[in-house]
Amino acid sequence: MRGDRVAQLLLAVTLVTGLCGAGFVAAGLAGTPRAPQRVDAVAVSSGPAPVLGRSLPVTLAIPAIRVHAGLLTLGVAPDGRVAVPPLDSPDAGWYEHSPTPGELGPAVLLGHVDSARTGPGVFYDLRMLRPGDTVRVTRADGGVVAFRVDRVGQYPKAAFPTAAVYGDIDHAGLRLITCGGAFDRSARSYVDDVVVFASAIA
């Protein structure tokens, strides 16, 4: 493991706490949000993509769940946790201490699942993704990197898969993270995290 990633792995333990905190409500508490939706997607058959140089991500498209969003740059909040997009933002965010999409390693994108004020968030339907679905990220250099979903997992917060999300890999990867599971009213937080693992394709 590269030394410059060790500190980020430690930060990852508390990464999603801010995504699932007091600003969120379970689906049944946020008015009447739409039902989860996805469209039939044609699986992309292609080999691994070449590794690219660094270029900041600009937009995100996930056709299967009708996501077309901008990407903010997220750093670390004053309390030491990874910052998250503003609660009412329609955009997702890229964690700036992870690789940019297309670089070697796992690029990490975070988005809200819902909020009391605005209802369903950008990653409301993230759990509906399936292996073979395509995710596309447009970069500041004008390039578009396509990723194929490998798997989708839902994990209790106490068992967040830090090493699998942030650990070194031998290809350009992508991790999409949001809240999931039941809503704990007393803690005003979701009990799980949803993580999508994807790999860049040519």
Side-chain angles (χ1 to χ4, degrees):
M1 181 181 298
R2 292 192 296 272
D4 61 349
R5 300 281 298 283
V6 173
Q8 306 313 322
L9 286 172
L10 295 175
L11 279 174
V13 174
T14 57
L15 172 66
V16 193
T17 303
L19 277 175
C20 310
F24 285 86
V25 293
L29 302 177
T32 309
R34 60 184 171 81
Q37 298 180 30
R38 61 167 278 127
V39 297
D40 291 334
V42 177
V44 177
S45 178
S46 182
V51 173
L52 304 176
R54 186 173 180 82
S55 180
L56 299 184
V58 178
T59 62
L60 171 70
I62 313 175
I65 56 173
R66 297 184 175 93
V67 167
H68 299 278
L71 286 171
L72 309 174
T73 297
L74 306 174
V76 178
D79 63 3
R81 295 183 296 183
V82 173
V84 297
L87 190 57
D88 57 355
S89 174
D91 298 325
W94 163 71
Y95 180 44
E96 66 180 350
H97 296 294
S98 70
T100 61
E103 281 191 291
L104 179 65
V108 177
L109 306 184
L110 304 93
H112 292 295
V113 64
D114 64 12
S115 79
R117 288 200 306 270
T118 60
V122 63
F123 282 172
Y124 183 77
D125 289 330
L126 195 68
R127 66 194 184 281
M128 302 295 292
L129 289 179
R130 299 291 180 265
D133 286 340
T134 302
V135 179
R136 292 185 175 86
V137 179
T138 301
R139 299 168 16 126
D141 62 9
V144 178
V145 183
F147 296 87
R148 182 174 50 221
V149 172
D150 300 317
R151 59 191 172 97
V152 180
Q154 183 168 313
Y155 308 93
K157 292 194 176 300
F160 185 81
T162 301
V165 170
Y166 291 92
D168 291 335
I169 55 178
D170 63 0
H171 59 280
L174 187 70
R175 310 291 186 250
L176 308 175
I177 305 173
T178 196
C179 302
F183 186 76
D184 183 337
R185 290 172 182 261
S186 61
R188 297 191 57 77
S189 173
Y190 285 96
V191 299
D192 295 338
D193 296 314
V194 174
V195 182
V196 173
F197 298 83
S199 299
I201 53 176

